[in-house]
Amino acid sequence: MKIAMVGTGYVGLVSGVCFSDFGHDVICIDKDPRKIEMLERGEVPIYEPGLDALLAKNVEAGRLTFTGDLATAVAGADAVFIAVGTPTRRGDGHADLTYVMAAAEEIARALTGYCVIVTKSTVPVGTNRKVEAAVRAANPAAEFDVASNPEFLREGAAIDDFMRPDRVVVGVESDRARAVMADIYRPLFLREFPIVYTDLESAEMIKYAANAFLATKITFINEMAMLCERVGADIKAVSRGMGLDGRIGNKFLHAGPGYGGSCFPKDTSALARIGQDFSAPCQITETVIAVNDKVKRRMIDKVIDLCGGSVNGKTIAVLGVTFKPNTDDMREAPSLTIVPALVGGGARVRVVDPQGRREGEALLPGVEWMEDPYTAAAGADAVILLTEWNEFRGLDLGNLAAAMAHPRMADLRNIYPAEDVKEAGFEAYVAVGRAGYGLET
Ligand SMILES: NC(=O)c1ccc[n+]([C@@H]2O[C@H](COP(=O)([O-])OP(=O)(O)OC[C@H]3O[C@@H](n4cnc5c(N)ncnc54)[C@H](O)[C@@H]3O)[C@@H](O)[C@H]2O)c1
């Protein structure tokens, strides 16, 4: 199969690399010349574990190339995937389809023979039909079908998710297009990963419904965490006791500083707007959005309480600012709410993150970037564990406490047992949904 991938970001690049590893002939296109230049030099513009090696292997094998020239890449392709961004549209919360529709029109003009135009971007219900109409309008003679193929990979584990998916969803309405999609995903089908064929609208809905459900699960446990703090229960025990129930499952049941990232915030917002447009309000999702916002703000109060009522003049070390570990993605990270509030409150904030600096420098003005947790904690008044990178899971708590002016910790990922923190010499500790100690009342 000859595949063109339009949009070489987190999803397009991983998908392109993995499709080439399946044995297909893949060309990745991006309109950002900086990205293409880096990729042509063999550099990977994002941090994603394992991606550099798999990319190099497939470039070497001659199956994977990069270009800024969409027309040449699309000509002769069996399938063209659209993997451009669908961010929240300014002002109204809808998904912004500008990039998808622009890509569709460009693709239309470049088609040379039968081709399946596959939307991999997360798009609202009805978008694939709009893509079809736009292509038809731009190139009435074109021979093509559209297909919806939403992506479920998680940043940080993207290659494994792509190569060993729970399922592949394909919305498709002609036998010819279905045959092309089946050929593309044959290596997964042969290994018995389920492929769910649906109509276009159902495929589009599956992606939003799945993400809204996961965001709901996280938000539910964060709400339970707040109640646990009030009633003296431990959210870790509650999560474990709940999660062992096979109907519930233990994933996405870890209390923390609220969901963020490139998908959940924008997809819950878009789903809420779709529900309103179709007079079928998604009230659970609307509530999840509001509660998640409160959860993030509650974390700021925790840090202020930890610092004795004000962060003004305090030195605070923040460990981890990416929205989750093993990615450099800062989009909608809880740190973008919490850190500016601390800086605005007069704190001197030092930040450590294994991969977040490149993106984070512009997004977190007024902070000092440091290389390791112990240097950041030296002379500090509090340390905040915000993203659970492995580097922060096995800290020498005794050394950390000894370096600090006031050893106090806000463990917003519930990594350390309070007893261990106390034993290491910390005078105060707060977590999420569990008892802390040492707070001034
Ligand atoms: N990031 C994730 O974890 C994830 C997971 C599942 C689904 N998705 C969905 O996948 C889509 C892409 O997300 P992403 O995180 O990869 O976005 P991204 O911003 O990392 O990448 C999008 C890329 O598309 C390029 N682009 C835009 N218009 C173009 C055009 N006309 N021609 C060529 N290139 C163009 C941009 O320059 C950019 O490099 C979104 O709809 C998102 O919701 C993302």
Side-chain angles (χ1 to χ4, degrees):
M1 285 277 126
K2 189 168 180 286
I3 294 175
M5 184 68 62
V6 181
T8 309
Y10 284 85
V11 163
L13 183 57
V14 171
S15 306
V17 168
C18 291
F19 279 147
S20 67
D21 206 58
F22 287 177
H24 302 309
D25 185 0
V26 179
I27 180 155
C28 291
I29 304 126
D30 207 283
K31 65 175 184 185
D32 178 349
R34 201 186 42 96
K35 274 191 190 172
I36 296 299
E37 282 159 21
M38 284 182 81
L39 287 160
E40 282 178 332
R41 287 198 300 269
E43 294 167 24
V44 181
I46 55 170
Y47 176 73
E48 180 60 47
L51 188 57
D52 44 1
L54 201 61
L55 184 142
K57 173 186 157 199
N58 286 288
V59 168
E60 175 81 32
R63 291 188 292 259
L64 179 63
T65 51
F66 306 96
T67 183
D69 177 8
L70 183 141
T72 314
V74 163
D78 298 296
V80 182
F81 283 76
I82 300 178
V84 301
T86 48
T88 299
R89 191 162 72 193
R90 246 171 222 275
D92 65 6
H94 274 292
D96 184 347
L97 293 178
T98 314
Y99 305 108
V100 171
M101 298 314 293
E105 282 173 27
E106 258 189 276
I107 292 164
R109 287 191 287 273
L111 292 177
T112 51
Y114 178 76
C115 174
V116 183
I117 300 173
V118 190
T119 310
K120 201 165 239 329
S121 300
T122 302
V123 293
V125 182
T127 304
N128 275 276
R129 297 210 188 275
K130 285 187 191 154
V131 166
E132 186 171 17
V135 174
R136 183 82 55 220
N139 183 352
E143 236 196 314
F144 73 100
D145 280 305
V146 294
S148 169
N149 177 216
E151 183 49 58
F152 299 93
L153 62 78
R154 295 162 302 165
E155 287 173 21
I159 292 172
D160 201 49
D161 284 351
F162 200 94
M163 297 294 202
R164 307 166 46 78
D166 289 339
R167 80 307 205 183
V168 173
V169 172
V170 177
V172 74
E173 293 184 346
S174 83
D175 291 343
R176 196 172 178 190
R178 182 175 163 145
V180 170
M181 295 304 287
D183 272 349
I184 291 173
Y185 281 107
R186 190 167 313 282
L188 295 183
F189 177 72
L190 292 174
R191 282 152 60 209
E192 298 190 351
F193 293 105
I195 300 191
V196 180
Y197 289 103
T198 71
D199 56 279
L200 296 171
E201 283 75 12
S202 302
E204 292 166 336
M205 265 306 292
I206 287 168
K207 176 64 192 174
Y208 279 113
N211 269 3
F213 189 83
L214 293 172
T216 302
K217 208 173 167 189
I218 295 174
T219 307
F220 180 85
I221 206 68
N222 282 336
E223 197 169 62
M224 290 300 109
M226 188 164 65
L227 185 56
C228 282
E229 286 172 20
R230 299 284 156 82
V231 301
D234 182 332
I235 194 66
K236 283 191 105 167
V238 174
S239 293
R240 181 161 159 75
M242 282 175 67
L244 285 169
D245 185 329
R247 295 167 302 177
I248 297 174
N250 59 8
K251 299 203 173 124
F252 284 74
L253 221 46
H254 303 287
Y259 65 75
S262 64
C263 291
F264 289 173
K266 79 175 177 61
D267 293 349
T268 46
S269 165
L271 182 64
R273 293 313 307 244
I274 296 167
Q276 287 161 8
D277 286 355
F278 286 83
S279 302
C282 299
Q283 288 174 292
I284 294 175
T285 302
E286 288 176 11
T287 305
V288 163
I289 295 167
V291 173
N292 189 58
D293 193 51
K294 275 195 208 148
V295 169
K296 287 198 228 171
R297 287 175 197 288
R298 200 167 82 84
M299 301 301 129
I300 301 166
D301 295 337
K302 275 181 182 292
V303 177
I304 293 173
D305 289 349
L306 182 73
C307 291
S310 168
V311 295
N312 194 18
K314 304 276 173 21
T315 300
I316 300 178
V318 176
L319 307 188
V321 288
T322 51
F323 87 92
K324 65 172 175 180
N326 294 327
T327 181
D328 56 355
D329 201 338
M330 291 287 298
R331 287 178 281 186
E332 301 285 333
S335 64
L336 298 179
T337 304
I338 297 167
V339 171
L342 302 179
V343 173
R348 280 186 58 208
V349 179
R350 299 170 177 169
V351 171
V352 184
D353 191 287
Q355 296 291 337
R357 184 168 183 170
R358 191 171 51 179
E359 288 291 313
E361 266 187 326
L363 297 169
L364 295 172
V367 308
E368 198 179 343
W369 290 84
M370 296 206 158
E371 290 304 314
D372 83 282
Y374 303 97
T375 323
D381 298 289
V383 61
I384 308 177
L385 250 158
L386 193 46
T387 311
E388 69 279 33
W389 284 91
N390 275 343
E391 285 86 336
F392 307 143
R393 283 179 178 278
L395 293 171
D396 183 327
L397 296 177
N399 278 348
L400 201 66
M404 296 176 72
H406 292 102
R408 296 183 278 215
M409 179 189 286
D411 180 2
L412 304 184
R413 297 288 180 175
N414 290 342
I415 292 173
Y416 293 103
E419 315 82 76
D420 293 4
V421 179
K422 194 169 204 170
E423 208 170 294
F426 278 85
E427 66 194 42
Y429 173 80
V430 287
V432 181
R434 297 188 299 157
Y437 66 84
L439 293 196
E440 296 161 26
T441 46

